[in-house]
Amino acid sequence: MPGTDDAQWLARSIDLAVANVADGGGPFGALIVRDGVVLAEGQNRVTRDLDPTAHAEVVAIRAACAAVGDFSLAGATLYTSCEPCPLCLSAALWARVDRVVYAADRHDAARGGFDDLEFYELFGRDRATWDLPVDAVRPENAPAPFDAWLAHDHRTDY
C-alpha cells in the first residue's frame, strides 16, 4: 500500500535523476528495494555509455540482480523518478519485481523531449502502421532453439 516508505524511496529516485542531469546524464533515477533495504540504484547511462538500453530502471535491475545473485527480484519494488517506458516496464516484468512505483509520468517525459509517450502509443497500433518494419521470416528450423531448450535436462527455468 502507498505510504511514507513510497515517498522516501521516490524522493531518492528523484534525487538520483536530478544529480544525473547535473553530471550530464538523462533525467531518470531508479532504485530496487526489498524488505526495506535498497538492493541497488540506477541512473540513466544512455549517452554516457552509448547504450540505448542503459535506462535508469534497467541499470538498477542489472545491479540488483548482481547484488543478490539471482535473475529474479521477486519480493522487490522498483521505484523510479518517471513512469517506466515500455523497455523498462518489460525489464521489470522479466525481473519479476512485485511492484513498480513512479513519480513523473509519460506526459512529463514527452514534455522533456523523450519518446516514452510516443512508444506507448506505437505499441497500441497495428504493426502494419509502424515506420519500423517488423517482419516474421519463419524457416523450417525456427523452433529448433526451443526444442533444444525443452530437451535440455539442466536448464534453469525462468
Side-chain angles (χ1 to χ4, degrees):
M1 292 282 108
T4 57
D5 286 347
D6 286 348
Q8 169 192 348
W9 301 127
L10 282 176
R12 177 65 186 145
S13 72
I14 293 167
D15 288 346
L16 287 167
V18 172
N20 202 47
V21 170
D23 290 339
F28 303 96
L31 54 144
I32 307 288
V33 177
R34 184 162 52 195
D35 299 324
V37 174
V38 175
L39 300 179
E41 296 180 338
Q43 293 170 299
N44 182 283
R45 299 293 188 220
V46 171
T47 56
R48 187 196 79 176
D49 294 352
L50 305 178
D51 178 355
T53 68
H55 293 200
E57 297 90 339
V58 173
V59 170
I61 288 168
R62 289 173 179 162
C65 288
V68 301
D70 197 346
F71 57 81
S72 173
L73 296 174
T77 299
L78 167 62
Y79 289 94
T80 180
S81 62
C82 186
E83 180 179 8
C85 72
L87 168 76
C88 296
L89 189 55
S90 295
L93 289 165
W94 278 111
R96 309 293 195 250
V97 299
D98 283 10
R99 187 168 172 239
V100 175
V101 181
Y102 63 88
D105 65 19
R106 62 184 80 173
H107 300 282
D108 296 308
R111 186 176 62 82
F114 294 89
D115 293 330
D116 304 51
L117 177 61
E118 183 179 328
F119 289 163
Y120 269 108
E121 290 172 352
L122 175 72
F123 288 128
R125 296 194 331 244
D126 184 291
R127 281 190 187 174
T129 68
W130 293 13
D131 291 335
L132 172 68
V134 178
D135 300 319
V137 178
R138 189 170 175 87
E140 219 175 276
N141 66 341
F146 297 101
D147 295 340
W149 169 258
L150 292 169
H152 185 60
D153 291 336
H154 302 290
R155 70 178 180 264
T156 301
D157 291 326
Y158 60 98

